[in-house]
Amino acid sequence: GSRWLSRQFGAGQVPPSGTMVRLATALATALRIGTLAQAQLGAEEAFGAFKTKFRRAYGSGEEARRFAAFSANFHVVQAENARGHAYTLGLNAFADMTPEEFASTHMGLLSGGREVRGRRLQAGVHAGGNRSLPARVDWRATGAVQAVRHQGHCGSCWAFSAIAALEGAWQIHTGENVSLSEQQLVDCAWPNFGCGSGRPEQAFRYFIDDPSFAFEPSAHPACTRASYHYRADNGKCAEAAGAAAIFRGGVVGIVRVVSGSTEALMDAVAQQPVSVTVDASTWALYAGGVFQCSAPEASLNHAVALVGYGEDDGAAYWLIRNSWGTGWGEAGYMRLLRTGDGLGNCGVTLEASYPLVDSSASPKPVRPPRKRAPATRFYGAPPCHDDEQQVPGLDPVMGASFTGSVCTPQSWPNCPPPPEGANWLPVPFGTQTPHKGCALACRDDSQCPLGAACESFNFCSYPRKSVPATRYYAAPPCHDDESVAPAVAPFGTWDRRRGEVCAMRITPTQRSCPAPPEGTGWIVRPVLDALSLASPPICMVICTRDVHCPAGARCEYEDSLRHRNSWSVHEGVCTYPAGNASEPTLAPVGGRRMAAGQALFLV
């Protein structure tokens, strides 16, 4: 399995310019063809070793796709390592993912500005320049940096970056090593969006008391990681059940580092670990050394923690703690080339901040929750008024997912205020009619109207009952105008799913999907068979959770590839359990069964 490592894959011979002869051209072409064939053989051997090392087992349909991604990464590693950089790339656990797939599941910086709600949150700007700086800083040596962690397939880098900076600040100022919960921020820290995206400064804000922020003025304790385990998924806020490591009032402000200043950032890092945002588009295969981004500009898409800086063989670097596990980089760390003022390598100097802590914080009584009031005119449960729209479950444009139903005012973007004394926060969502309106943002049920619940995507909705399918979208046996279809996710995944469903095809006489029963809230859309795009579309119920499906059905989707937007919502289709859905046999009653493994795509 090591023979491929010793092979040299050159870039081929460059044909001579000017008066090159045909013989030289033919020879150069033959050499290039031979090199490519040898490289392809090397990729196949490497893929076999990769599958063994990382215990990969693919379905027949996925094997080819994963090899294509791996082969592309294999050639990138070979070519870049041959250039003699001060760093090396390697075939790590991410080598069977495309760059787009990796970015959609392992980053998660919320795009947009750095605005932080509230007047008391920003405690100052760190400019530096008032002291001599040490030549080398490494906060790992003092115990201010916890072990490297893995964010998994969840866009929660912002939470890991903020927690690393907060853990470091607390250890430096108190001498206490605390391991804090990233999941608490994923579940509770609005206006971040959990595994969808977020920003470190908004995570710091969650722990700070700020009466000017009417929606949520109270500071929150920082829970221990042991009491609030990381799940790499969105969930309902369970802070009340966690054990506090830093009590309310322990975080008192946010300090921003002057943007674009290497000296100011070095001065801040010499004081404590710092949260930074970066362009990590080319980081996935980093294996070691002092890395340098090749792009002249930076598109910030990831958040990490700066835990030191230093110099290696004349190359100045930043020491970065990432959140992709210890199998990535140098045991989970990266040394990033430290350049002069301005953009900074990979944009590392553009957005940096750290929290201020107060070691005198002690347990404080929790403010009693306000009495929950029922919704009367707006934000109530269906049936809705004429100037409202029922949002039944999934909004495909916004990407928000509701377990229940709610009446959303159509006065977008000017949302009706809540009743006097209610701590509701109306926010506009969506950009296109009819998929826009106003909803109530929340952290937990106490911030919703009486009878409503706070969803894991931070909106209030009212529970609804599951209704069985009768004529359409039901389990086999099917009617004559339907087909039995094995289900896959509609956004470009390749694996077949475990279930099946009766699906009607769009035809010249049947130009739209049958409407779901009134009050069910099912989202019905046509999907295409990706292996036979000329075939008519098939009507199916789209979902993100089982509660969006008919009774007895479940929502199935490919977890490793998400529909990418600021909310990172999974979209799948509703299917029913089948004993052997992959066998291409005929449906028991009427219709036809699609070939196993066929993919479905939205029309």
Side-chain angles (χ1 to χ4, degrees):
S2 62
R3 288 179 300 168
W4 66 274
L5 289 171
S6 62
R7 291 177 177 168
Q8 300 297 316
F9 301 110
Q13 302 296 318
V14 179
S17 59
T19 60
M20 63 180 180
V21 296
R22 292 183 179 179
L23 181 59
T25 302
L27 178 60
T29 302
L31 287 172
R32 285 197 300 272
I33 293 173
T35 298
L36 292 173
Q38 191 178 22
Q40 180 67 11
L41 179 61
E44 292 174 355
E45 293 182 2
F47 189 53
F50 170 86
K51 290 191 294 181
T52 299
K53 178 178 180 180
F54 295 104
R55 300 180 180 180
R56 295 287 202 270
Y58 308 114
S60 59
E62 188 182 17
E63 179 92 15
R65 177 173 64 93
R66 290 300 176 191
F67 175 71
F70 180 90
S71 180
N73 288 327
F74 174 85
H75 293 300
V76 168
V77 169
Q78 295 291 316
E80 291 301 312
N81 287 347
R83 296 178 184 273
H85 296 304
Y87 61 88
T88 58
L89 303 182
L91 299 172
N92 56 27
F94 309 132
D96 62 346
M97 302 175 72
T98 65
E100 296 77 15
E101 183 181 10
F102 180 79
S104 72
T105 56
H106 288 78
M107 297 183 193
L109 180 68
L110 180 64
S111 60
R114 301 176 67 187
E115 178 186 359
V116 180
R117 289 178 176 266
R119 295 190 298 268
R120 292 175 48 190
L121 298 180
Q122 189 172 329
V125 175
H126 191 116
N130 296 324
R131 59 171 176 160
S132 59
L133 298 175
R136 182 177 183 273
V137 172
D138 187 345
W139 285 111
R140 296 176 298 182
T142 69
V145 181
Q146 299 285 326
V148 170
R149 299 162 185 168
H150 201 318
Q151 70 187 72
H153 284 215
C154 171
S156 55
C157 62
W158 57 274
F160 282 80
S161 172
I163 287 296
L166 182 54
E167 288 172 340
W170 193 256
Q171 194 278 337
I172 292 168
H173 288 84
T174 69
E176 299 177 9
N177 280 307
V178 292
S179 183
L180 304 177
S181 172
E182 296 89 359
Q183 190 66 44
Q184 179 189 8
L185 293 176
V186 171
D187 292 346
C188 309
W190 193 91
N192 298 298
F193 303 114
C195 284
S197 59
R199 301 191 71 84
E201 291 181 5
Q202 295 287 17
F204 295 145
R205 189 216 68 78
Y206 180 73
F207 299 117
I208 301 172
D209 193 28
D210 182 36
S212 69
F213 190 24
F215 168 62
E216 194 172 40
S218 299
H220 295 270
C223 295
T224 65
R225 204 168 200 261
S227 68
Y228 204 144
H229 297 287
Y230 185 67
R231 300 186 311 274
D233 201 358
N234 296 308
K236 197 169 184 177
C237 183
E239 175 187 295
I246 300 177
F247 297 111
R248 293 175 53 239
V251 184
V252 295
I254 304 169
V255 177
R256 287 179 172 174
V257 181
V258 171
S259 181
S261 172
T262 297
E263 182 181 2
L265 187 54
M266 290 177 65
D267 190 80
V269 174
Q271 173 183 298
Q272 65 190 83
V274 174
S275 171
V276 296
T277 61
V278 293
D279 182 350
S281 302
T282 56
W283 286 22
L285 302 177
Y286 169 75
V290 180
F291 187 80
Q292 181 175 8
C293 281
S294 57
E297 297 182 355
S299 178
L300 303 179
N301 52 24
H302 189 48
V304 294
L306 281 188
V307 298
Y309 61 81
E311 189 172 315
D312 183 14
D313 288 336
Y317 64 82
W318 299 108
L319 181 60
I320 288 177
R321 177 188 184 263
N322 204 351
S323 52
W324 295 342
T326 57
W328 175 86
E330 297 177 331
Y333 290 87
M334 168 186 269
R335 287 178 292 157
L336 181 67
L337 185 67
R338 175 160 45 94
T339 59
D341 291 345
L343 176 67
N345 191 20
C346 304
V348 68
T349 62
L350 295 182
E351 295 183 2
S353 60
Y354 58 85
L356 290 181
V357 298
D358 179 3
S359 59
S360 66
S362 58
K364 297 177 176 62
V366 178
R367 298 177 187 177
R370 300 177 185 177
K371 185 177 180 180
R372 295 178 66 182
T376 53
R377 179 60 180 87
F378 297 107
Y379 313 111
C384 304
H385 294 89
D386 292 341
D387 56 353
E388 295 177 312
Q389 175 181 304
Q390 179 179 340
V391 176
L394 168 70
D395 184 278
V397 175
M398 177 193 179
S401 176
F402 296 84
T403 300
S405 299
V406 64
C407 295
T408 59
Q410 297 301 289
S411 55
W412 184 97
N414 301 311
C415 298
E420 186 176 355
N423 62 332
W424 308 343
L425 181 65
V427 294
F429 68 82
T431 58
Q432 302 176 22
T433 303
H435 307 296
K436 66 179 182 181
C438 296
L440 297 179
C442 58
R443 181 183 61 84
D444 56 38
D445 293 352
S446 68
Q447 294 163 334
C448 293
L450 187 66
C454 186
E455 303 289 349
S456 61
F457 280 88
N458 304 105
F459 286 104
C460 300
S461 72
Y462 297 84
R464 62 181 184 183
K465 294 182 179 180
S466 182
V467 179
T470 53
R471 176 60 179 88
Y472 298 105
Y473 315 112
C478 304
H479 295 85
D480 291 340
D481 57 351
E482 297 173 312
S483 296
V484 182
V488 298
F491 268 104
T493 58
W494 292 264
D495 293 342
R496 61 175 178 263
R497 300 293 84 199
R498 297 180 298 275
E500 59 185 4
V501 64
C502 294
M504 171 179 280
R505 286 192 177 273
I506 298 294
T507 66
T509 57
Q510 178 67 43
R511 296 179 177 273
S512 61
C513 292
E518 186 176 355
T520 60
W522 303 341
I523 301 295
V524 175
R525 290 189 236 162
V527 295
L528 286 176
D529 172 1
L531 299 184
S532 182
L533 296 178
S535 299
I538 299 174
C539 297
M540 301 187 79
V541 178
I542 308 300
C543 58
T544 63
R545 309 180 195 175
D546 291 350
V547 294
H548 301 149
C549 296
R554 62 191 176 193
C555 188
E556 297 204 78
Y557 48 82
E558 171 60 44
D559 184 65
S560 65
L561 187 63
R562 304 179 181 194
H563 176 43
R564 186 62 181 161
N565 54 37
S566 62
W567 298 75
S568 193
V569 174
H570 306 265
E571 279 198 350
V573 290
C574 296
T575 68
Y576 299 84
N580 194 6
S582 63
E583 291 298 325
T585 56
L586 292 178
V589 179
R592 116 183 132 78
R593 184 184 295 274
M594 293 173 60
Q598 287 183 302
L600 303 177
F601 294 90
L602 287 179
V603 174

